[in-house]
């Protein structure tokens, strides 16, 4: 696992953009297309705004989502809405290449439909993920068990509202050609220490164990004490 603490949240956002550009260049050169899974939440928004300012993207880029909240499609709290407003709406990626999770249909129906949408796209080239204060990634929360054979899962009773969500499952996230976890803010310190120092069995730790190509970008707020990267 490649562990980087490049500085403040702005430095982390710039590093996220550099990761995306490098992954896109390699994917297009090797396979003629780039599949990028976007993280939800607020952490990646700085990077999405930078990508928008750079007019990043192309007609051979394809966008997917690591998870989605079961809210109306145009709801401001939808991860797809946040990414569209920060980057995609004014970007150079064709709308047909933006593969939204139809979470407005309800978690179970949307998970089934997204499973079909993913066909032919695995493994993804790059998966971006945030991390919650409890160590969750995407909508995979501590203590919630999912069928490891299911590429996409319906989530109910999520501790982070809304309770109903859809999430890519751990094997799909970990199986990507590259996986980048982005963590910023002092509120994440406890989870980072639980993971790194106490080796707690958190979803982010399970991802790190399962992924062959995982990088972690942490800002100085969340990094807190100088930490040895895990062995
Ligand atoms: C969501 C996200 C979730 C998020 C983390 C971190 O739907 O909320 O997918 O997994 O990435 O909770 O959220 P912040 O970046 O807002 O701290």
């Amino acid at each position: 696992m490649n562990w980087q603490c490049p500085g403040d949240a702005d430095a982390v956002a710039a590093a996220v953009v550099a990761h995306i550009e490098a992954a896109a260049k390699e994917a297009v050169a090797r396979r003629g297309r780039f599949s990028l899974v976007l993280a939800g939440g607020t952490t990646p928004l700085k990077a999405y705004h930078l990508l928008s300012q750079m007019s990043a993207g192309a007609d051979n880029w394809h966008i997917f989502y690591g998870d989605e909240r079961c809210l109306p499609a145009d709801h401001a709290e939808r991860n797809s809405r946040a990414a569209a407003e920060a980057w995609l709406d004014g970007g150079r990626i064709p709308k047909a290449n933006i593969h939204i999770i139809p979470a407005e249909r309800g978690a179970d129906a949307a998970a089934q439909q997204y499973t079909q949408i993913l066909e032919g796209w695995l493994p993804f080239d790059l998966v971006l993920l945030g991390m919650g204060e409890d160590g969750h990634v995407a909508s995979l929360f501590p203590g919630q068990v999912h069928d490891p054979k299911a590429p996409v899962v319906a989530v109910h009773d999520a501790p982070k509202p809304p309770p109903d969500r859809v999430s890519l499952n751990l094997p799909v996230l970990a199986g990507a050609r590259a996986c980048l976890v982005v963590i910023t803010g002092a509120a994440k310190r406890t989870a980072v220490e639980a993971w790194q120092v106490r080796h707690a069995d958190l979803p982010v730790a399970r991802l790190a164990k399962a992924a062959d190509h995982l990088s972690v970008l942490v800002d100085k707020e969340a990094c807190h004490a100088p930490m040895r990267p895990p062995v």
Side-chain angles (χ1 to χ4, degrees):
M1 175 168 67
N2 172 15
W3 181 273
Q4 296 170 23
C5 190
D8 63 10
D10 288 333
V12 166
V16 171
V17 170
H19 271 264
I20 291 172
E21 287 187 308
K25 189 173 175 195
E26 180 176 346
V28 169
R30 288 173 182 259
R31 291 174 292 277
R33 68 185 191 183
F34 174 48
S35 57
L36 172 60
V37 178
L38 294 185
T42 57
T43 301
L45 295 179
K46 271 183 186 284
Y48 298 164
H49 283 297
L50 286 178
L51 290 163
S52 175
Q53 288 160 12
M54 300 159 53
S55 300
D59 56 10
N60 51 16
W61 287 30
H62 284 260
I63 300 293
F64 298 84
Y65 289 87
D67 68 336
E68 188 53 274
R69 305 162 182 190
C70 291
L71 296 167
D74 58 354
H75 194 287
E77 292 295 306
R78 283 272 297 235
N79 291 328
S80 54
R81 198 64 251 122
E85 282 166 9
W87 171 28
L88 301 175
D89 274 356
R92 296 171 51 206
I93 302 171
K95 210 166 173 59
N97 292 14
I98 300 173
H99 309 280
I100 290 172
I101 300 174
E104 64 280 3
R105 299 189 53 215
D108 297 282
Q112 273 184 0
Q113 187 172 339
Y114 212 57
T115 299
Q116 289 155 16
I117 290 171
L118 296 191
E119 276 179 24
W121 285 100
L122 302 182
F124 289 120
D125 292 314
L126 177 59
V127 167
L128 284 190
L129 289 165
M131 183 195 74
E133 294 175 27
D134 60 358
H136 76 258
V137 288
S139 286
L140 304 176
F141 292 93
Q144 294 199 342
V145 179
H146 298 289
D147 173 3
K149 292 189 295 299
V152 186
V153 294
V155 176
H156 301 289
D157 306 320
K160 177 178 182 182
D164 284 356
R165 293 160 165 263
V166 182
S167 183
L168 296 189
N169 205 358
L170 197 76
V172 168
L173 299 173
R177 292 188 175 93
C179 191
L180 180 61
V181 178
V182 188
I183 306 171
T184 61
K188 306 292 172 74
R189 268 187 215 169
T190 306
V192 169
E193 288 187 0
W195 170 24
Q196 293 295 309
V197 178
R198 294 198 298 287
H199 308 297
D201 180 21
L202 302 172
V204 69
R206 293 187 177 193
L207 172 76
K209 284 195 184 89
D212 291 335
H213 307 286
L214 181 90
S215 296
V216 183
L217 285 173
V218 196
D219 79 345
K220 58 186 179 185
E221 288 295 308
C223 208
H224 180 49
M227 248 171 255
R228 282 179 300 99
V231 291

